[in-house]
């Protein structure tokens, strides 16, 4: 059965890149309540807390961020009647399948993962020495997340392209070696917003790390903060509101953000601001983003007042996810030759 699965890490807060690149589409792909697809859990979303442990972390912060992110996803529109939402560590099959797939993935292919190279190389040779094994193995855990649910489609931003490719490669390899076991998944990307860039450094993607707080718009930022961040975004020399990622990366990023939140194409945005100054353009982008995020922001604060309700939802999600994942893990274990536990 064709399924959609995706995940988000509880490191720091959700930002505009996460929202436009992934979460908004998750909300949109949910099947109608009461439909056969909804009953069959066509859409499954996960707060991937085990992935948040690959870089040094603070335990209290991890607990808090996990619940906060789940609340954000509900605020964004993940509806219990239409999709499954759960926390990765609540379903043990993720860690277990990872071991089996660790023995199918190769050292060489993991070493070539650009995110590992970027994150470990940041601190040179010493950084590589002290990088956790979890950071290296992270893509295999992600492969397990996807394969455990027979997911056919994985809606992600552009930075996860290579990881979903790995899921394809490993599924094909496992099936070839041990017989048809896994659905081979493919990544899907949004038309605009697949790679939202940092407002201060438009040559790198907007991210949750605190290296560039001024360059990252958080979904929960107050309107005044969003306004200030957008108005102080780096633009380029010249004054034309024209899309050209190479020559005008700052302005192009703002054009894409504006297009993504208003539903306009890049050409339509260029036309709207033809002959207008950067100042006026930025003010329009700021206002559009504030209005776009306002409902999620309001809903988040309502939901956060009632954490028991979020926990209840996560409990239901974990039970349902486990019921789907266990048979797939059993299928893979059997195919790989692990002796079934005598009952
Ligand atoms: P994470 O938590 O970094 O990001 C969550 C989602 O947001 C997208 N994203 C962006 N999209 C556009 N512009 C940006 N600047 C931007 N930054 C982030 C990401 O592409 C992602 O879709 N490894 C994953 C989490 C994960 C996962 C999975 C995803 C774990 N298991 C299984 C899919 C399926 C990650 O770190 O995403």
């Amino acid at each position: 059965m064709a399924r959609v699965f995706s995940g988000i890490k509880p490191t720091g807060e959700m930002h505009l890149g996460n929202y436009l690149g992934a979460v908004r589409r998750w909300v949109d792909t949910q099947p109608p309540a009461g439909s056969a697809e909804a009953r069959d859990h066509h859409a499954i979303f996960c707060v991937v807390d085990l992935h948040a442990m690959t870089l040094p972390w603070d335990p209290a912060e991890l607990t808090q961020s996990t619940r906060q992110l789940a609340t954000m996803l509900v605020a964004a529109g993940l509806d219990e009647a239409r999709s499954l939402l759960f926390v990765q560590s609540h379903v043990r099959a993720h860690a277990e399948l990872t071991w089996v797939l660790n023995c199918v993935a190769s050292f060489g292919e993991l070493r070539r993962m650009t995110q590992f190279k970027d994150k470990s190389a940041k601190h040179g040779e010493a950084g590589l020495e002290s990088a956790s094994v979890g950071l290296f193995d992270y893509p295999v855990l992600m492969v397990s997340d996807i394969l455990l649910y027979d997911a056919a489609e994985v809606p992600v931003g552009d930075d996860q392209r290579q990881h979903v490719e790995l899921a394809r490669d490993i599924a094909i390899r496992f099936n070839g070696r041990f017989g048809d076991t896994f659905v081979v998944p493919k990544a899907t990307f949004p038309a605009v917003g697949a790679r939202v860039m940092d407002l201060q450094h438009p040559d790198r993607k907007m991210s949750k790390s605190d290296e560039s707080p001024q360059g990252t718009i958080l979904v929960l930022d107050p309107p005044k903060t969003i306004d200030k961040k957008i108005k102080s975004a780096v633009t380029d020399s010249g004054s034309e509101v024209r899309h050209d990622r190479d020559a005008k990366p700052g302005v192009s990023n703002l054009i894409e953000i504006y297009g993504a939140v208003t539903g306009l194409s890049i050409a339509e945005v260029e036309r709207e601001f033809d002959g207008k100054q950067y100042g006026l353009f930025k003010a329009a982008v700021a206002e559009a983003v504030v209005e776009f995020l306002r409902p999620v922001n309001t809903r988040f604060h309502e939901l956060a007042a009632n954490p028991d309700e979020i926990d209840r939802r996560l409990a239901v999600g974990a039970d349902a996810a486990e019921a789907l994942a266990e048979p797939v893990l059993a299928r893979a274990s059997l195919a790989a030759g692990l002796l079934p536990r005598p009952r």
Side-chain angles (χ1 to χ4, degrees):
M1 188 190 54
R3 266 224 187 91
V4 170
F5 178 96
S6 202
I8 180 166
K9 270 193 319 268
T11 33
E13 280 188 35
M14 193 197 288
H15 57 71
L16 187 66
N18 299 134
Y19 197 60
L20 295 178
V23 174
R24 178 164 61 156
R25 278 185 312 136
W26 302 0
V27 173
D28 293 344
T29 55
Q30 296 176 102
S35 63
E37 283 100 340
R39 273 196 303 280
D40 290 344
H41 305 301
H42 183 86
I44 306 177
F45 305 108
C46 185
V47 177
V48 291
D49 54 347
L50 298 175
H51 279 94
M53 304 168 78
T54 55
L55 293 172
W57 77 99
D58 176 79
E61 238 171 67
L62 176 59
T63 313
Q64 196 261 343
S65 304
T66 303
R67 196 183 269 110
Q68 190 197 52
L69 189 54
T71 311
M72 286 292 300
L73 293 173
V74 177
L78 290 190
D79 176 353
E80 187 167 16
R82 301 171 62 197
S83 61
L84 257 187
L85 172 65
F86 72 104
V87 172
Q88 185 184 34
S89 65
H90 295 171
V91 178
R92 294 189 178 173
H94 290 250
E96 220 173 310
L97 182 63
T98 299
W99 180 257
V100 176
L101 298 183
N102 273 340
C103 301
V104 175
S106 76
F107 184 78
E109 66 191 343
L110 292 192
R111 199 171 42 183
R112 283 192 292 277
M113 293 289 126
T114 50
Q115 280 208 350
F116 173 73
K117 284 199 276 191
D118 290 350
K119 288 189 179 167
S120 59
K122 233 178 224 164
H123 307 289
E125 206 33 56
L128 194 60
E129 274 299 300
S130 62
S132 74
V133 175
L135 182 66
F136 184 69
D137 195 33
Y138 169 120
V140 182
L141 179 59
M142 178 161 162
V143 171
S144 301
D145 299 340
I146 298 167
L147 300 189
L148 266 180
Y149 297 94
D150 289 337
E153 287 186 9
V154 187
V156 283
D158 193 55
D159 62 330
Q160 297 301 319
R161 188 182 290 270
Q162 200 186 22
H163 291 156
V164 182
E165 271 304 309
L166 181 73
R168 284 182 72 79
D169 291 347
I170 290 185
I172 292 169
R173 189 177 313 148
F174 192 101
N175 289 348
R177 221 179 265 174
F178 303 116
D180 227 3
T181 306
F182 294 121
V183 170
V184 179
K186 73 167 198 298
T188 63
F189 306 97
V192 202
R195 199 171 182 80
V196 178
M197 308 307 274
D198 186 291
L199 300 177
Q200 292 297 319
H201 304 275
D203 54 328
R204 62 185 196 218
K205 67 169 186 180
M206 189 176 281
S207 78
K208 287 176 219 163
S209 67
D210 13 84
E211 275 165 38
S212 177
Q214 290 314 311
T216 302
I217 295 175
L218 301 176
V219 175
L220 291 181
D221 271 343
K224 262 200 184 139
T225 310
I226 297 179
D227 189 68
K228 198 161 148 224
K229 285 180 179 174
I230 294 183
K231 286 186 178 156
S232 55
V234 166
T235 35
D236 324 277
S237 54
S239 60
E240 241 185 318
V241 179
R242 184 170 51 80
H243 191 271
D244 180 339
R245 271 219 175 187
D246 296 328
K248 296 165 84 73
V251 169
S252 301
N253 190 34
L254 292 177
I255 292 178
E256 288 177 33
I257 291 174
Y258 188 74
V261 303
T262 57
L264 295 175
S265 69
I266 287 171
E268 286 167 331
V269 180
E270 286 178 330
R271 218 168 304 133
E272 182 177 338
F273 294 97
D274 188 25
K276 308 242 166 69
Q277 299 291 321
Y278 282 167
L280 197 136
F281 171 56
K282 282 179 168 178
V285 178
E287 196 189 325
V289 172
V290 165
E291 289 316 316
F292 179 74
L293 295 178
R294 196 187 293 281
V296 189
N297 210 315
T298 308
R299 186 86 184 105
F300 172 83
H301 292 291
E302 288 164 8
L303 291 164
N306 193 358
D308 290 351
E309 173 52 23
I310 297 294
D311 283 356
R312 185 202 59 76
R313 169 102 185 250
L314 292 177
V316 171
D319 285 347
E322 192 168 60
L324 295 170
E326 281 296 330
V328 181
L329 175 65
R331 198 162 83 208
S333 304
L334 196 67
L338 296 172
L339 178 69
R341 177 171 161 187
R343 301 276 171 193

